[in-house]
Amino acid sequence: MKIETIRHSLAHILATAIQELYPGTKFGIGPAIEAGFYYDFDLPKPLSPEDLPKIEEKMKKLITENIIFKKREVSKKEARKIFKNQPYKLELIDEMEGKITVYESGKFLDLCKGPHIDSTKKIPKDSFKLTKIAGAYWRGDEKNPMLTRIYGTAFKTKKELSEYLKMQKEAEKRDHRALGKKLELFLIDEEFGKGLVLWLPKGAMLRKLVMDFALKTYLKRGYQLVSTPHIANLNLWKRSGHWDFYRENMYPQMKVEKDSFMLKPMNCPGHVKIYNSKIRSYKDLPLRFTEMGTVYRYEKSGVLHGLTRVRGFTQDDAHIFCSPEQLQSELREMIDLTKYILNNFGFKDFEISLSVHDPKEKERYLGSGKVWNLAEKALENALKEKQLPYNRYLGEAVFYGPKIDFSVNDAIGRKWQLSTIQVDFNFPEKFDLTYVDRKGKKKRPIMLHRALLGSLERFIGILIEHYAGAFPLWLSPIQISVIPVGSRHREHAREIGKLLDEKGLRVQVQDEAETVSKKIRKGEVQKIPYMLVVGDKEAKNGSVRVRQREKGDIGVMKLEKFIKKVEKEIKDKNI
Ligand SMILES: [Zn+2]
Ligand SMILES: [Zn+2]
């Protein structure tokens, strides 16, 4: 028995139940869909989600009655007679040719081609559920009446159903678009522009925390900070090859005086120009330029999705220029850095892929086989030295060089591709990059592109889903909320707020005129890691009543002790 047949039969049973519970209902259509079914009704009274259990009960009762599905062929005239009180069915009949099939299940008759199960005996017990009610225009046309659509989901076993519902619930709870709204992190406003992210105060703070951590780490590891504009002359993009190979991802040109400019889709040409701004010696290498570079790439409006698919985003970008002899040690350090960064954001499981060229298709790649072998060996050796398992993909390299990609698994086991390390033989040629070697001879450096977080927007979208919005303390836009018990404790609460603020903690004082329980509830909704409740007793002995996210009240604590506790938690980056 096909699950689709069961799902479609359940749609009929749903209609049968509705007919008995709400006499006078006019029926639309009821097909099987992915993971379930629906039926559209024109009801004599409006329904709410609270009515679903009752309808579901009725369906279960009908199923136990072992209702037989009977198929009948009738003429158009007979069909018009059977459905004389059903205007939607009559509309469908008018458009039909030849014999019309009618299905009977209990007292309910439907226009239907089938197939159906022969008896409700075939419906697996407890493996379906009505999930939601929505409005739907008859035949999807907004000029038609709005009908009530009831959705259900159905599987072959109860276990499959509960697994499906659990996963749905989990993914829904973590959806970064909904959480972004609830936690007041970001806004995507159609009037401002599709696929363009407006960061609200808390989201902008989260973004800054992510950016600061990454940048601070890079600067500590020998990177130099650079900064380049959002637009550049079209001639530059012609020389870099983007005009020929990447144009469909770029926005149309802007005419300014006699020049044309393009919004930048990548940061590389700017960094290459900076490299070329003076003569480089072997003693200068490796040079590592990093930038939180904002780029714009064209995406069709249909594929845009929250933060994970946008039209403008900021990359934690970097380009490394080194001699061939330095390549392997640079890669080794970069792999360490990638692991360090991802670990700190709570991602511990990686999958690594190495994309190499196919020597049989030389014409697809730029540069000699000799350089390719050197670069691929270097990448492979670096991974081996680090004892990291990886998959090797032959022929998957981009035309200008081989690469390593890191994917992470999030808290519910979904895989996300994040970090990329690429070797590039193209740019050094196109922009004639050189350095002077020990013997005073001009040499070509090797260029590496790498972004470890990738797009900050996408990375934060993934972080929101990974943590379900409950960020570890160091990443929480607001870390601590101070709640005075009564109006006479407000002043004291503000003083605590000031003290914590001076310690560099991000704190809010909830001194509005509301009950403590209401303020606690608010803090819980906002997923604030710590709430400190202060009343008479606490004020008198310099302590606070601490509520920890998910744990609730963890008792009264001296304020200094609390500060030490959170400072340690931030340092350890524990959840
Ligand atoms: Zn049907
Ligand atoms: Zn690049």
Side-chain angles (χ1 to χ4, degrees):
M1 179 67 57
K2 272 188 167 170
I3 186 67
E4 287 75 24
T5 310
I6 293 171
R7 286 172 181 154
H8 183 188
S9 302
L10 275 161
H12 281 232
I13 296 299
L14 166 61
T16 313
I18 291 287
Q19 188 181 41
E20 291 195 18
L21 290 170
Y22 309 99
T25 297
K26 311 283 184 246
F27 297 87
I29 55 160
I33 51 170
E34 203 200 324
F37 58 91
Y38 71 76
Y39 211 112
D40 288 344
F41 308 106
D42 189 344
L43 291 146
K45 61 165 249 187
L47 288 187
S48 72
E50 286 76 59
D51 296 308
L52 293 182
K54 188 171 86 180
I55 301 166
E56 208 176 282
E57 259 331 290
K58 183 79 196 168
M59 287 173 72
K60 284 188 177 149
K61 198 167 157 279
L62 289 168
I63 289 166
T64 58
E65 286 168 12
N66 297 336
I67 290 174
I68 311 288
F69 277 81
K70 284 182 223 150
K71 185 179 172 180
R72 246 201 291 161
E73 277 195 352
V74 297
S75 67
K76 206 162 167 170
K77 203 175 148 201
E78 279 171 277
R80 289 198 61 86
K81 208 174 138 197
I82 294 168
F83 294 102
K84 63 176 186 294
N85 296 319
Q86 293 293 333
Y88 303 106
K89 299 291 180 193
L90 288 175
E91 194 182 317
L92 297 174
I93 291 165
D94 280 344
E95 292 164 17
M96 288 176 178
E97 301 284 339
K99 284 276 178 197
I100 291 170
T101 53
V102 172
Y103 266 91
E104 192 183 320
S105 51
K107 292 187 190 102
F108 179 70
L109 281 166
D110 207 348
L111 273 182
C112 181
K113 285 200 186 77
H116 279 288
I117 50 176
D118 35 84
S119 152
T120 53
K121 258 188 199 162
K122 296 275 169 68
I123 295 177
K125 252 188 134 200
D126 298 324
S127 66
F128 82 94
K129 188 175 170 50
L130 296 182
T131 48
K132 64 177 178 189
I133 296 187
Y137 291 108
W138 168 238
R139 308 186 103 175
D141 187 340
E142 57 187 47
K143 289 186 214 94
N144 288 335
M146 171 79 87
L147 306 179
T148 303
R149 178 171 295 177
I150 299 180
Y151 285 96
T153 181
F155 290 88
K156 281 198 166 170
T157 63
K158 193 178 170 181
K159 193 167 161 253
E160 271 178 84
L161 173 72
S162 68
E163 273 164 14
Y164 174 80
L165 291 173
K166 206 173 131 202
M167 192 66 194
Q168 282 297 102
K169 219 169 150 187
E170 204 41 58
E172 228 171 83
K173 261 202 313 219
R174 290 169 182 270
D175 188 328
H176 74 275
R177 294 166 302 171
L179 280 171
K181 205 175 262 174
K182 196 167 124 194
L183 304 177
E184 297 173 15
L185 298 174
F186 68 92
L187 175 72
I188 294 175
D189 179 282
E190 290 267 318
E191 189 180 19
F192 191 91
K194 284 187 183 129
L196 300 170
V197 182
L198 301 171
W199 292 99
L200 303 176
K202 281 186 218 164
M205 178 53 76
L206 173 61
R207 185 171 179 274
K208 177 182 149 51
L209 292 163
V210 170
M211 220 155 58
D212 284 356
F213 173 73
L215 207 50
K216 209 173 126 193
T217 308
Y218 303 156
L219 296 186
K220 248 194 232 164
R221 303 215 183 185
Y223 285 74
Q224 298 179 69
L225 185 64
V226 295
S227 182
T228 63
H230 290 215
I231 62 171
N233 198 300
L234 174 59
N235 294 329
L236 178 80
W237 302 110
K238 283 186 175 162
R239 184 170 177 191
S240 68
H242 286 86
W243 181 253
D244 288 333
F245 295 107
Y246 205 69
R247 205 187 313 174
E248 70 275 20
N249 301 301
M250 294 167 80
Y251 290 96
Q253 35 185 307
M254 293 170 254
K255 294 262 181 212
V256 180
E257 293 170 356
K258 282 181 185 140
D259 290 319
S260 283
F261 288 84
M262 306 289 287
L263 273 170
K264 72 172 170 186
M266 292 188 195
N267 304 300
C268 341
H271 295 191
V272 164
K273 282 284 173 193
I274 291 169
Y275 179 91
N276 259 353
S277 63
K278 63 183 201 185
I279 294 168
R280 306 289 181 180
S281 141
Y282 70 95
K283 287 182 221 150
D284 301 328
L285 302 186
L287 271 171
R288 309 179 186 97
F289 296 144
T290 185
E291 172 177 15
M292 293 290 157
T294 303
V295 296
Y296 300 88
R297 293 181 191 170
Y298 171 66
E299 295 273 11
K300 287 200 182 83
S301 50
V303 302
L304 297 172
H305 182 89
L307 293 176
T308 51
R309 242 1 225 285
V310 291
R311 285 177 170 169
F313 56 91
T314 301
Q315 292 176 304
D316 65 320
D317 211 355
H319 295 94
I320 287 91
F321 304 89
C322 65
S323 67
E325 303 76 54
Q326 290 166 330
L327 182 58
Q328 196 162 317
S329 68
E330 275 308 300
L331 288 168
R332 212 163 44 217
E333 279 178 38
M334 218 179 273
I335 290 166
D336 274 341
L337 181 60
T338 309
K339 276 179 67 189
Y340 177 79
I341 291 280
L342 297 179
N343 276 330
N344 272 287
F345 284 105
F347 299 110
K348 312 279 181 200
D349 301 327
F350 315 109
E351 271 173 49
I352 300 172
S353 60
L354 169 67
S355 302
V356 297
H357 83 302
D358 185 350
K360 284 194 203 111
E361 296 180 61
K362 277 201 177 74
E363 66 290 346
R364 274 178 55 205
Y365 308 99
L366 217 110
S368 72
K370 207 178 127 204
V371 241
W372 273 89
N373 290 336
L374 174 95
E376 286 171 2
K377 264 255 133 22
L379 283 167
E380 206 150 13
N381 285 344
L383 286 170
K384 277 185 185 145
E385 270 181 63
K386 291 289 152 197
Q387 297 182 328
L388 291 169
Y390 61 91
N391 291 313
R392 196 169 189 276
Y393 296 97
L394 187 73
E396 287 297 305
V398 268
F399 71 94
Y400 55 78
K403 60 170 182 165
I404 303 178
D405 293 311
F406 281 74
S407 296
V408 298
N409 292 320
D410 75 3
I412 57 170
R414 292 173 301 180
K415 197 169 130 180
W416 304 90
Q417 204 252 299
L418 285 179
S419 316
T420 303
I421 299 171
Q422 276 185 358
V423 184
D424 185 350
F425 311 125
N426 176 42
F427 264 103
E429 288 291 331
K430 286 229 153 109
F431 285 87
D432 194 24
L433 304 188
T434 57
Y435 67 94
V436 182
D437 77 358
R438 222 176 277 271
K439 291 174 192 143
K441 263 177 75 184
K442 270 193 180 178
K443 283 266 181 71
R444 274 263 183 269
I446 288 179
M447 180 174 171
L448 299 169
H449 307 247
R450 114 277 176 285
L452 305 186
L453 307 174
S455 139
L456 280 178
E457 279 67 15
R458 182 169 172 272
F459 184 74
I460 291 170
I462 294 165
L463 270 189
I464 295 171
E465 302 210 357
H466 178 60
Y467 287 116
F471 304 110
L473 191 60
W474 76 280
L475 271 176
S476 292
I478 294 172
Q479 297 168 311
I480 302 157
S481 179
V482 188
I483 301 173
V485 169
S487 56
R488 66 177 185 282
H489 309 111
R490 277 186 201 159
E491 204 38 56
H492 181 59
R494 284 181 204 130
E495 273 166 33
I496 292 177
K498 212 176 137 212
L499 194 100
L500 295 173
D501 183 68
E502 278 162 9
K503 295 272 176 197
L505 296 162
R506 294 180 294 279
V507 56
Q508 72 174 14
V509 180
Q510 285 179 270
D511 55 5
E512 63 274 22
E514 260 173 1
T515 62
V516 172
S517 59
K518 213 166 187 179
K519 288 175 191 173
I520 289 175
R521 180 72 201 122
K522 258 196 204 166
E524 281 169 352
V525 170
Q526 289 291 308
K527 309 202 185 215
I528 294 171
Y530 287 102
M531 288 185 260
L532 306 179
V533 183
V534 288
D536 284 331
K537 232 182 7 198
E538 291 80 19
K540 213 161 88 193
N541 57 22
S543 60
V544 286
R545 182 167 280 281
V546 184
R547 292 188 69 88
Q548 191 174 352
R549 185 179 58 203
E550 276 133 35
K551 286 189 182 152
D553 193 335
I554 58 165
V556 176
M557 211 181 272
K558 290 275 181 212
L559 186 60
E560 302 92 87
K561 196 181 160 202
F562 172 74
I563 292 173
K564 283 223 174 74
K565 173 183 161 65
V566 291
E567 279 175 343
K568 185 175 185 306
E569 190 178 330
I570 290 167
K571 204 170 146 251
D572 296 347
K573 290 194 163 54
N574 283 336
I575 299 166

